[in-house]
Amino acid sequence: MDDGLVKAVNGVSYIMAEGETLGVVGESGCGKSVHALSIMRLIPEPPGDIESGEILLEGRDILRLSRDAMRKVRGAEIAMVFQDPMTSLNPVYTVGYQIMEALKIHKNMDDKAARERAGELLSLVGIPSAGQRLDDYPHQFSGGMRQRAMIAMALSCEPKLLIADEPTTALDVTIQAQIVDLVIRLQENLGMAVMWITHDLGIVAELAEKINVMYAGYIIERGYTKDIFKRTRHPYTIGLLGSLPRLDEAPGTKLLAIPGLPPDLIALPNGCPFAARCVYKEEQCLEAMPPLNPTDERDHFVACWLWRKIAEGSQNA
């Protein structure tokens, strides 16, 4: 039974430069993954639909490309690493076959050249005895190795943009750190742009030059990482940062929690979607959605009617 129209992503707009790293953060259900799948044009239609807008890749609107033309872009120019490599890798094909397939389609390589390059890619992402592991199936790889294989597959055609959708969520902390270091190293070597989607602000603090903070399908704050952390302007971002454990805090300091729940995306409120949970809210917050306006810092934008008042309060605290 249809409950209604879910507006998963609303008015999201930003620019990524060549070689840049962008962090996209927010709690589960805020639209991070749907927005990335929209870029890849992997939203199932129906029931999903991109109602309006444009996605420009070096001047081309990829929303206007035919399905066949988009297949040539997907993997070759924009690649994506998904959250769960066990469900993203096909269990009935070897890891080598799945990497070679992309090389043969997009690079027109024959079997010998594709196999040789696949071995090089597995070695590049740190898998030992890479040439011998090409004939292994996904279940024969550990979780960290499967994620590395997914990264190798995504990098096989040297894309201009790599979208990493929470690629370290299911991994332990040590493997997470190795994957983050790997992506940083590969980006430096290949010069690609990277979009890192996560709910973990600690990771993007290390990785990203800029951050988009999403809530209820909107970008509610965006800017340079240092400004987002040091001159936070949106109450939701303040709450996210307050929920992070800090090494410089006194023992026994309690973490902050954001009260309440995110709004129902089928029936979004008229005003700011965060207003019901916001300790700073005033009447205007309940009446109209604030636009994403510039703050006093360069390239720092916030969707909040009260950001100046909040900024003055943080300076006087």
Side-chain angles (χ1 to χ4, degrees), residues 47-289:
D49 182 38
I50 301 174
E51 290 191 329
S52 62
E54 57 184 12
I55 301 171
L56 301 178
L57 177 65
E58 297 184 327
R60 291 173 295 157
D61 184 359
I62 60 177
L63 289 182
R64 297 184 178 275
L65 297 179
S66 67
R67 291 184 182 276
D68 288 340
M70 188 61 202
R71 286 192 190 98
K72 295 178 182 178
V73 171
R74 195 185 297 123
E77 298 183 66
I78 308 175
M80 189 165 177
V81 180
F82 297 92
Q83 290 185 34
D84 185 359
M86 198 61 210
T87 57
S88 301
L89 290 167
N90 193 320
V92 302
Y93 291 107
T94 65
V95 170
Y97 175 90
Q98 295 180 66
I99 298 173
M100 290 165 59
E101 185 179 28
L103 292 166
K104 289 191 284 187
I105 291 172
H106 294 295
K107 295 292 188 180
N108 296 317
M109 291 185 178
D110 59 27
D111 285 346
K112 182 179 179 182
R115 184 178 176 85
E116 184 176 333
R117 179 57 179 157
E120 291 173 356
L121 287 163
L122 284 185
S123 180
L124 181 69
V125 298
I127 292 182
S129 307
Q132 299 173 27
R133 302 307 301 267
L134 289 173
D135 295 320
D136 287 348
Y137 289 86
H139 72 271
Q140 295 175 280
F141 277 39
S142 67
M145 290 173 67
R146 284 195 293 268
Q147 199 58 279
R148 288 170 184 267
M150 283 292 296
I151 293 172
M153 193 181 305
L155 297 178
S156 60
C157 299
E158 300 178 4
K160 298 179 178 71
L161 169 64
L162 175 68
I163 301 174
D165 185 8
E166 304 207 42
T168 61
T169 299
L171 306 177
D172 64 56
V173 175
T174 303
I175 303 299
Q176 281 187 25
Q178 292 175 3
I179 296 295
V180 170
D181 290 342
L182 170 64
V183 172
I184 292 173
R185 177 168 54 84
L186 292 174
Q187 183 185 22
E188 291 172 350
N189 293 340
L190 300 175
M192 62 187 173
V194 174
M195 180 189 298
W196 192 283
I197 298 170
T198 182
H199 58 272
D200 190 335
L201 281 161
I203 289 179
V204 295
E206 179 182 357
L207 266 176
E209 299 159 49
K210 293 181 179 179
I211 296 176
N212 287 346
V213 183
M214 293 190 67
Y215 185 79
Y218 295 93
I219 293 178
I220 49 89
E221 187 165 11
R222 65 181 172 89
Y224 285 99
T225 302
K226 64 180 185 298
D227 290 331
I228 297 293
F229 275 79
K230 292 182 180 179
R231 287 178 281 276
T232 316
R233 295 294 180 247
H234 198 284
Y236 176 64
T237 316
I238 292 171
L240 286 181
L241 291 172
S243 67
L244 286 176
R246 295 170 59 101
L247 292 175
D248 58 354
E249 287 180 333
T253 301
K254 290 185 177 181
L255 297 177
L256 298 178
I258 302 174
L261 296 171
D264 184 351
L265 297 182
I266 295 176
L268 285 169
N270 293 326
C272 172
F274 187 64
R277 308 172 72 185
C278 182
V279 297
Y280 301 96
K281 68 175 178 287
E282 295 182 359
E283 191 63 30
Q284 63 178 330
C285 304
L286 302 172
E287 295 174 349
M289 174 67 192

